[in-house]
Every structure is written in C-alpha cells, then in structure tokens.
Amino acid sequence: VQVVESGGGLVQEGGSLRLSCTASGLSFADVNMGWFRQAPGKEREGVSCITWTGGNTCYTDSVKGRFTISRDNAKRTLYLQMNSLKSEDTAMYYCAAGGSELASKTYAYWGQGTQVTVSS
C-alpha cells in the first residue's frame, strides 16, 4: 500500500491551499480516509475525516467552516481544501487510510506528509 500526499507549500495568512492524497494497493473506494497534522513540538491531531462513500465527514473544531474534505473514488484521490489559513495551521499534514473518524491509532496506512506553512 502506498499513500502519497501533495499540494503543501508556503502561503500567507488568509490564503488557500488544496492538498491531495492518492492511495494505491488497497481498495480505495472501500476505506474511510483522514487528514492529520503535526506541528513542531506538538502531538499529531486529527483534522478531518470522510467515510468510504463520502457521505459523512468530520472536522476538528479549529478548522470547521474553513476546511473541506472530499474524495473522488474513481481517481483514488482524497482532497483537503483549506481556506482562510491561519498561522496556527502550519504543520506537516498526513493522509491516512483505513481507519475510523479522527482516531489516529485506527488508521493502518499513512503517507509521508506534505508541509503547510502559513506566514503571518
């Protein structure tokens, strides 16, 4: 199984980025997916999740109304649209497959991460 994130970068506060994640070697359309992040010196936290059908999503409180998770099962791709970015969103963002909601320990497969840096 290979999980690969892309789309990170440097952006000013108030700006937007869209992260993408592709997963191969598993039945993408049959697994729940999640986005997690980890800032320097902090624990990893769950950001957003989506069920295998895309019918249900979840968000941590700090990103509600700013981030949108979506998936395209035909393209085996997960997305995270991030708007109104804040400096506190700066972190390494990880895509994970096969778990439940924002319980990181339930996710079996992880990508290497993509860095998001928001400058103030």
Side-chain angles (χ1 to χ4, degrees):
V1 176
Q2 188 173 23
V3 178
V4 180
E5 306 94 337
S6 62
L10 174 64
V11 64
Q12 289 187 331
E13 274 197 328
S16 298
L17 282 174
R18 188 175 81 155
L19 305 184
S20 299
C21 167
T22 59
S24 59
L26 52 76
S27 183
F28 182 85
D30 292 334
V31 297
N32 300 332
M33 300 290 294
W35 286 101
F36 296 79
R37 66 186 180 187
Q38 187 168 19
K42 295 187 177 181
E43 293 187 354
R44 183 171 57 192
E45 67 167 336
V47 176
S48 184
C49 67
I50 189 167
T51 55
W52 58 280
T53 63
N56 288 291
T57 59
C58 72
Y59 299 91
T60 192
D61 286 346
S62 62
V63 308
K64 285 180 180 177
R66 301 189 296 122
F67 290 11
T68 303
I69 192 171
S70 62
R71 65 190 296 163
D72 185 334
N73 286 345
K75 295 182 178 180
R76 307 174 65 87
T77 303
L78 175 73
Y79 303 100
L80 185 67
Q81 178 67 45
M82 305 186 295
N83 298 329
S84 302
L85 282 161
K86 304 175 180 180
S87 57
E88 51 261 45
D89 294 318
T90 295
M92 185 70 79
Y93 283 71
Y94 297 92
C95 173
S100 176
E101 296 185 328
L102 295 181
S104 61
K105 292 183 178 180
T106 67
Y107 283 81
Y109 307 107
W110 293 81
Q112 294 298 307
T114 186
Q115 178 68 39
V116 172
T117 303
V118 184
S119 63
S120 57

